[in-house]
Amino acid sequence: MNIILFGPPGAGKGTQAKLLQDEFSIPHLSTGDIFRAAIKNKTPLGVKVKSILDSGELVPDQTVVDLVADELSKDKYQDGYILDGFPRTVVQAEAFDSFLESNNDKLDAFILLSVPEEELIKRILSRGEGRSDDTEEKVKTRLQVYREETQPVMKHYEKQGKVQEIDGIGTIDEIFGRIKSALT
């Protein structure tokens, strides 16, 4: 099963992806985790990504697409995966569609976690990840970038009939239950 978990920063994608990974025994691929590891290890990609993220912007499409395609070519993803944080732009979505097609594969589910903006801000500021852009002003910038550049990805997959919107408010288990119901 190939799943995209989608939603704004703070919607709970990473938390739910880990639960889905355990439930369905398929790996979770988070572009955020890959970027954070690169930043922590001060790799050339990490240094580049850190300066982009520090300004509240998104990493360039081609950098992200290459990273994800390279990762998904590994054997551990042969039986499916959960994508979290990708695709973030329509260009990335179109490149991912082409990647799937060239590999005779398909997207099985596009799960949209819907959470009101006030709740997102509260969650991000309280989670204490230590990101340099976790200030209220920077969080609002990230949410604005999401609305302008990332939300159109949802429209792309709506045209394909793939989007399943899930209420992202409630306990972690309640939200997970809604996702599992949508997938079965």
PDB file of all heavy atoms in Angstrom, residues 3-7 13-14 17 28-33 35 58 64 68 82-89 92 150:
ATOM      1  N   ILE A   3       0.879   5.196   0.467  1.00  0.00           N
ATOM      2  CA  ILE A   3       0.037   6.211   1.111  1.00  0.00           C
ATOM      3  C   ILE A   3       0.787   7.531   1.190  1.00  0.00           C
ATOM      4  O   ILE A   3       1.967   7.553   1.536  1.00  0.00           O
ATOM      5  CB  ILE A   3      -0.328   5.769   2.553  1.00  0.00           C
ATOM      6  CG1 ILE A   3      -1.032   4.415   2.554  1.00  0.00           C
ATOM      7  CG2 ILE A   3      -1.171   6.834   3.255  1.00  0.00           C
ATOM      8  CD1 ILE A   3      -1.113   3.788   3.943  1.00  0.00           C
ATOM      9  N   ILE A   4       0.072   8.634   0.903  1.00  0.00           N
ATOM     10  CA  ILE A   4       0.581   9.966   1.202  1.00  0.00           C
ATOM     11  C   ILE A   4      -0.218  10.488   2.385  1.00  0.00           C
ATOM     12  O   ILE A   4      -1.454  10.518   2.346  1.00  0.00           O
ATOM     13  CB  ILE A   4       0.425  10.928   0.010  1.00  0.00           C
ATOM     14  CG1 ILE A   4       1.351  10.525  -1.140  1.00  0.00           C
ATOM     15  CG2 ILE A   4       0.707  12.376   0.446  1.00  0.00           C
ATOM     16  CD1 ILE A   4       1.184  11.355  -2.402  1.00  0.00           C
ATOM     17  N   LEU A   5       0.476  10.873   3.455  1.00  0.00           N
ATOM     18  CA  LEU A   5      -0.148  11.572   4.582  1.00  0.00           C
ATOM     19  C   LEU A   5       0.094  13.040   4.345  1.00  0.00           C
ATOM     20  O   LEU A   5       1.242  13.467   4.194  1.00  0.00           O
ATOM     21  CB  LEU A   5       0.495  11.153   5.902  1.00  0.00           C
ATOM     22  CG  LEU A   5      -0.178  10.058   6.689  1.00  0.00           C
ATOM     23  CD1 LEU A   5       0.558   9.820   7.993  1.00  0.00           C
ATOM     24  CD2 LEU A   5      -1.627  10.322   6.950  1.00  0.00           C
ATOM     25  N   PHE A   6      -0.972  13.819   4.335  1.00  0.00           N
ATOM     26  CA  PHE A   6      -0.889  15.206   3.910  1.00  0.00           C
ATOM     27  C   PHE A   6      -1.557  16.123   4.920  1.00  0.00           C
ATOM     28  O   PHE A   6      -2.528  15.743   5.567  1.00  0.00           O
ATOM     29  CB  PHE A   6      -1.592  15.337   2.546  1.00  0.00           C
ATOM     30  CG  PHE A   6      -1.249  16.583   1.792  1.00  0.00           C
ATOM     31  CD1 PHE A   6      -0.061  16.688   1.095  1.00  0.00           C
ATOM     32  CD2 PHE A   6      -2.131  17.655   1.756  1.00  0.00           C
ATOM     33  CE1 PHE A   6       0.257  17.841   0.393  1.00  0.00           C
ATOM     34  CE2 PHE A   6      -1.831  18.796   1.054  1.00  0.00           C
ATOM     35  CZ  PHE A   6      -0.636  18.893   0.360  1.00  0.00           C
ATOM     36  N   GLY A   7      -1.059  17.333   5.023  1.00  0.00           N
ATOM     37  CA  GLY A   7      -1.650  18.329   5.900  1.00  0.00           C
ATOM     38  C   GLY A   7      -0.615  19.376   6.239  1.00  0.00           C
ATOM     39  O   GLY A   7       0.571  19.229   5.933  1.00  0.00           O
ATOM     40  N   LYS A  13       1.108  14.485  11.036  1.00  0.00           N
ATOM     41  CA  LYS A  13       1.484  13.515  10.002  1.00  0.00           C
ATOM     42  C   LYS A  13       2.527  12.521  10.510  1.00  0.00           C
ATOM     43  O   LYS A  13       2.372  11.321  10.312  1.00  0.00           O
ATOM     44  CB  LYS A  13       2.021  14.245   8.763  1.00  0.00           C
ATOM     45  CG  LYS A  13       1.010  15.155   8.087  1.00  0.00           C
ATOM     46  CD  LYS A  13       1.592  15.868   6.877  1.00  0.00           C
ATOM     47  CE  LYS A  13       2.758  16.783   7.166  1.00  0.00           C
ATOM     48  NZ  LYS A  13       2.452  17.986   7.948  1.00  0.00           N
ATOM     49  N   GLY A  14       3.580  13.009  11.136  1.00  0.00           N
ATOM     50  CA  GLY A  14       4.643  12.121  11.615  1.00  0.00           C
ATOM     51  C   GLY A  14       4.145  11.144  12.662  1.00  0.00           C
ATOM     52  O   GLY A  14       4.473   9.951  12.620  1.00  0.00           O
ATOM     53  N   ALA A  17       1.925   8.614  10.899  1.00  0.00           N
ATOM     54  CA  ALA A  17       2.711   7.764   9.999  1.00  0.00           C
ATOM     55  C   ALA A  17       3.382   6.634  10.771  1.00  0.00           C
ATOM     56  O   ALA A  17       3.425   5.491  10.300  1.00  0.00           O
ATOM     57  CB  ALA A  17       3.748   8.597   9.257  1.00  0.00           C
ATOM     58  N   HIS A  28       7.869   4.182   6.720  1.00  0.00           N
ATOM     59  CA  HIS A  28       7.487   5.600   6.726  1.00  0.00           C
ATOM     60  C   HIS A  28       8.677   6.388   6.191  1.00  0.00           C
ATOM     61  O   HIS A  28       9.787   6.261   6.702  1.00  0.00           O
ATOM     62  CB  HIS A  28       7.144   5.999   8.165  1.00  0.00           C
ATOM     63  CG  HIS A  28       7.080   7.461   8.419  1.00  0.00           C
ATOM     64  ND1 HIS A  28       7.554   8.018   9.587  1.00  0.00           N
ATOM     65  CD2 HIS A  28       6.597   8.487   7.690  1.00  0.00           C
ATOM     66  CE1 HIS A  28       7.361   9.325   9.557  1.00  0.00           C
ATOM     67  NE2 HIS A  28       6.787   9.629   8.407  1.00  0.00           N
ATOM     68  N   LEU A  29       8.432   7.179   5.156  1.00  0.00           N
ATOM     69  CA  LEU A  29       9.473   8.033   4.592  1.00  0.00           C
ATOM     70  C   LEU A  29       9.081   9.482   4.825  1.00  0.00           C
ATOM     71  O   LEU A  29       8.103   9.959   4.270  1.00  0.00           O
ATOM     72  CB  LEU A  29       9.644   7.767   3.098  1.00  0.00           C
ATOM     73  CG  LEU A  29      10.578   8.721   2.347  1.00  0.00           C
ATOM     74  CD1 LEU A  29      11.976   8.697   2.937  1.00  0.00           C
ATOM     75  CD2 LEU A  29      10.626   8.364   0.872  1.00  0.00           C
ATOM     76  N   SER A  30       9.830  10.146   5.675  1.00  0.00           N
ATOM     77  CA  SER A  30       9.589  11.555   5.982  1.00  0.00           C
ATOM     78  C   SER A  30      10.715  12.388   5.403  1.00  0.00           C
ATOM     79  O   SER A  30      11.873  12.227   5.804  1.00  0.00           O
ATOM     80  CB  SER A  30       9.520  11.764   7.493  1.00  0.00           C
ATOM     81  OG  SER A  30       9.686  13.128   7.813  1.00  0.00           O
ATOM     82  N   THR A  31      10.374  13.271   4.474  1.00  0.00           N
ATOM     83  CA  THR A  31      11.399  14.155   3.941  1.00  0.00           C
ATOM     84  C   THR A  31      11.951  15.030   5.063  1.00  0.00           C
ATOM     85  O   THR A  31      13.131  15.333   5.088  1.00  0.00           O
ATOM     86  CB  THR A  31      10.866  15.024   2.784  1.00  0.00           C
ATOM     87  OG1 THR A  31       9.682  15.681   3.207  1.00  0.00           O
ATOM     88  CG2 THR A  31      10.574  14.172   1.564  1.00  0.00           C
ATOM     89  N   GLY A  32      11.099  15.395   5.997  1.00  0.00           N
ATOM     90  CA  GLY A  32      11.555  16.190   7.141  1.00  0.00           C
ATOM     91  C   GLY A  32      12.630  15.472   7.937  1.00  0.00           C
ATOM     92  O   GLY A  32      13.641  16.070   8.315  1.00  0.00           O
ATOM     93  N   ASP A  33      12.443  14.163   8.174  1.00  0.00           N
ATOM     94  CA  ASP A  33      13.441  13.385   8.914  1.00  0.00           C
ATOM     95  C   ASP A  33      14.753  13.312   8.150  1.00  0.00           C
ATOM     96  O   ASP A  33      15.837  13.424   8.725  1.00  0.00           O
ATOM     97  CB  ASP A  33      12.937  11.956   9.187  1.00  0.00           C
ATOM     98  CG  ASP A  33      11.841  11.916  10.247  1.00  0.00           C
ATOM     99  OD1 ASP A  33      11.620  12.941  10.942  1.00  0.00           O
ATOM    100  OD2 ASP A  33      11.207  10.855  10.382  1.00  0.00           O
ATOM    101  N   PHE A  35      15.833  15.491   5.947  1.00  0.00           N
ATOM    102  CA  PHE A  35      16.445  16.819   6.001  1.00  0.00           C
ATOM    103  C   PHE A  35      17.050  17.094   7.376  1.00  0.00           C
ATOM    104  O   PHE A  35      18.153  17.617   7.480  1.00  0.00           O
ATOM    105  CB  PHE A  35      15.428  17.907   5.661  1.00  0.00           C
ATOM    106  CG  PHE A  35      15.020  17.940   4.211  1.00  0.00           C
ATOM    107  CD1 PHE A  35      13.795  18.482   3.844  1.00  0.00           C
ATOM    108  CD2 PHE A  35      15.837  17.449   3.209  1.00  0.00           C
ATOM    109  CE1 PHE A  35      13.416  18.528   2.515  1.00  0.00           C
ATOM    110  CE2 PHE A  35      15.462  17.486   1.876  1.00  0.00           C
ATOM    111  CZ  PHE A  35      14.243  18.029   1.530  1.00  0.00           C
ATOM    112  N   LEU A  58      10.421  26.781   1.221  1.00  0.00           N
ATOM    113  CA  LEU A  58      10.457  25.356   0.928  1.00  0.00           C
ATOM    114  C   LEU A  58      11.731  25.001   0.156  1.00  0.00           C
ATOM    115  O   LEU A  58      12.257  25.810  -0.603  1.00  0.00           O
ATOM    116  CB  LEU A  58       9.249  24.953   0.083  1.00  0.00           C
ATOM    117  CG  LEU A  58       7.880  25.037   0.761  1.00  0.00           C
ATOM    118  CD1 LEU A  58       6.779  24.702  -0.235  1.00  0.00           C
ATOM    119  CD2 LEU A  58       7.800  24.115   1.959  1.00  0.00           C
ATOM    120  N   VAL A  64      14.119  17.876  -3.705  1.00  0.00           N
ATOM    121  CA  VAL A  64      13.235  16.984  -2.955  1.00  0.00           C
ATOM    122  C   VAL A  64      12.883  15.748  -3.791  1.00  0.00           C
ATOM    123  O   VAL A  64      12.929  14.618  -3.299  1.00  0.00           O
ATOM    124  CB  VAL A  64      11.955  17.727  -2.512  1.00  0.00           C
ATOM    125  CG1 VAL A  64      11.021  16.789  -1.766  1.00  0.00           C
ATOM    126  CG2 VAL A  64      12.305  18.921  -1.638  1.00  0.00           C
ATOM    127  N   VAL A  68      13.681  11.845  -2.788  1.00  0.00           N
ATOM    128  CA  VAL A  68      12.624  10.855  -2.571  1.00  0.00           C
ATOM    129  C   VAL A  68      12.749   9.696  -3.563  1.00  0.00           C
ATOM    130  O   VAL A  68      12.652   8.527  -3.177  1.00  0.00           O
ATOM    131  CB  VAL A  68      11.222  11.511  -2.644  1.00  0.00           C
ATOM    132  CG1 VAL A  68      10.119  10.461  -2.626  1.00  0.00           C
ATOM    133  CG2 VAL A  68      11.045  12.479  -1.474  1.00  0.00           C
ATOM    134  N   ILE A  82       4.700   4.897   3.389  1.00  0.00           N
ATOM    135  CA  ILE A  82       3.909   6.041   3.835  1.00  0.00           C
ATOM    136  C   ILE A  82       4.776   7.266   3.627  1.00  0.00           C
ATOM    137  O   ILE A  82       5.862   7.372   4.212  1.00  0.00           O
ATOM    138  CB  ILE A  82       3.539   5.907   5.325  1.00  0.00           C
ATOM    139  CG1 ILE A  82       2.796   4.587   5.582  1.00  0.00           C
ATOM    140  CG2 ILE A  82       2.710   7.102   5.794  1.00  0.00           C
ATOM    141  CD1 ILE A  82       3.063   4.016   6.947  1.00  0.00           C
ATOM    142  N   LEU A  83       4.321   8.183   2.786  1.00  0.00           N
ATOM    143  CA  LEU A  83       5.057   9.431   2.547  1.00  0.00           C
ATOM    144  C   LEU A  83       4.491  10.520   3.438  1.00  0.00           C
ATOM    145  O   LEU A  83       3.276  10.697   3.531  1.00  0.00           O
ATOM    146  CB  LEU A  83       4.936   9.855   1.080  1.00  0.00           C
ATOM    147  CG  LEU A  83       5.600   8.945   0.058  1.00  0.00           C
ATOM    148  CD1 LEU A  83       5.324   9.452  -1.348  1.00  0.00           C
ATOM    149  CD2 LEU A  83       7.101   8.861   0.308  1.00  0.00           C
ATOM    150  N   ASP A  84       5.362  11.256   4.059  1.00  0.00           N
ATOM    151  CA  ASP A  84       4.986  12.334   4.969  1.00  0.00           C
ATOM    152  C   ASP A  84       5.864  13.532   4.628  1.00  0.00           C
ATOM    153  O   ASP A  84       7.077  13.443   4.737  1.00  0.00           O
ATOM    154  CB  ASP A  84       5.178  11.806   6.399  1.00  0.00           C
ATOM    155  CG  ASP A  84       5.459  12.850   7.453  1.00  0.00           C
ATOM    156  OD1 ASP A  84       5.127  14.029   7.254  1.00  0.00           O
ATOM    157  OD2 ASP A  84       6.012  12.479   8.498  1.00  0.00           O
ATOM    158  N   GLY A  85       5.234  14.605   4.142  1.00  0.00           N
ATOM    159  CA  GLY A  85       6.003  15.792   3.773  1.00  0.00           C
ATOM    160  C   GLY A  85       6.370  15.832   2.303  1.00  0.00           C
ATOM    161  O   GLY A  85       7.136  16.685   1.879  1.00  0.00           O
ATOM    162  N   PHE A  86       5.827  14.907   1.531  1.00  0.00           N
ATOM    163  CA  PHE A  86       6.073  14.859   0.091  1.00  0.00           C
ATOM    164  C   PHE A  86       4.849  14.259  -0.575  1.00  0.00           C
ATOM    165  O   PHE A  86       4.305  13.290  -0.055  1.00  0.00           O
ATOM    166  CB  PHE A  86       7.295  13.995  -0.218  1.00  0.00           C
ATOM    167  CG  PHE A  86       7.565  13.845  -1.693  1.00  0.00           C
ATOM    168  CD1 PHE A  86       8.298  14.800  -2.369  1.00  0.00           C
ATOM    169  CD2 PHE A  86       7.063  12.765  -2.404  1.00  0.00           C
ATOM    170  CE1 PHE A  86       8.546  14.667  -3.734  1.00  0.00           C
ATOM    171  CE2 PHE A  86       7.303  12.634  -3.757  1.00  0.00           C
ATOM    172  CZ  PHE A  86       8.039  13.580  -4.431  1.00  0.00           C
ATOM    173  N   PRO A  87       4.424  14.807  -1.693  1.00  0.00           N
ATOM    174  CA  PRO A  87       4.896  16.000  -2.389  1.00  0.00           C
ATOM    175  C   PRO A  87       4.338  17.275  -1.756  1.00  0.00           C
ATOM    176  O   PRO A  87       3.247  17.268  -1.203  1.00  0.00           O
ATOM    177  CB  PRO A  87       4.361  15.812  -3.810  1.00  0.00           C
ATOM    178  CG  PRO A  87       3.134  14.968  -3.644  1.00  0.00           C
ATOM    179  CD  PRO A  87       3.375  14.103  -2.445  1.00  0.00           C
ATOM    180  N   ARG A  88       5.107  18.347  -1.873  1.00  0.00           N
ATOM    181  CA  ARG A  88       4.691  19.622  -1.283  1.00  0.00           C
ATOM    182  C   ARG A  88       4.284  20.658  -2.324  1.00  0.00           C
ATOM    183  O   ARG A  88       3.784  21.711  -1.952  1.00  0.00           O
ATOM    184  CB  ARG A  88       5.810  20.205  -0.422  1.00  0.00           C
ATOM    185  CG  ARG A  88       5.924  19.479   0.877  1.00  0.00           C
ATOM    186  CD  ARG A  88       6.587  20.337   1.919  1.00  0.00           C
ATOM    187  NE  ARG A  88       6.474  19.680   3.205  1.00  0.00           N
ATOM    188  CZ  ARG A  88       7.310  19.859   4.193  1.00  0.00           C
ATOM    189  NH1 ARG A  88       8.324  20.666   4.053  1.00  0.00           N
ATOM    190  NH2 ARG A  88       7.122  19.243   5.335  1.00  0.00           N
ATOM    191  N   THR A  89       4.565  20.384  -3.577  1.00  0.00           N
ATOM    192  CA  THR A  89       4.157  21.299  -4.646  1.00  0.00           C
ATOM    193  C   THR A  89       3.557  20.465  -5.775  1.00  0.00           C
ATOM    194  O   THR A  89       3.782  19.243  -5.843  1.00  0.00           O
ATOM    195  CB  THR A  89       5.355  22.100  -5.206  1.00  0.00           C
ATOM    196  OG1 THR A  89       6.236  21.184  -5.866  1.00  0.00           O
ATOM    197  CG2 THR A  89       6.092  22.876  -4.115  1.00  0.00           C
ATOM    198  N   GLN A  92       6.210  18.701  -7.715  1.00  0.00           N
ATOM    199  CA  GLN A  92       6.642  17.466  -7.060  1.00  0.00           C
ATOM    200  C   GLN A  92       5.611  16.358  -7.260  1.00  0.00           C
ATOM    201  O   GLN A  92       5.972  15.196  -7.500  1.00  0.00           O
ATOM    202  CB  GLN A  92       6.866  17.696  -5.560  1.00  0.00           C
ATOM    203  CG  GLN A  92       8.075  18.522  -5.227  1.00  0.00           C
ATOM    204  CD  GLN A  92       8.209  18.784  -3.730  1.00  0.00           C
ATOM    205  OE1 GLN A  92       7.611  18.112  -2.904  1.00  0.00           O
ATOM    206  NE2 GLN A  92       9.024  19.773  -3.391  1.00  0.00           N
ATOM    207  N   THR A 150       1.527  24.494  -1.132  1.00  0.00           N
ATOM    208  CA  THR A 150       1.329  23.075  -0.872  1.00  0.00           C
ATOM    209  C   THR A 150      -0.125  22.645  -1.027  1.00  0.00           C
ATOM    210  O   THR A 150      -0.397  21.586  -1.573  1.00  0.00           O
ATOM    211  CB  THR A 150       1.839  22.723   0.546  1.00  0.00           C
ATOM    212  OG1 THR A 150       3.184  23.196   0.658  1.00  0.00           O
ATOM    213  CG2 THR A 150       1.829  21.234   0.780  1.00  0.00           C
TER     214      THR A 150
END
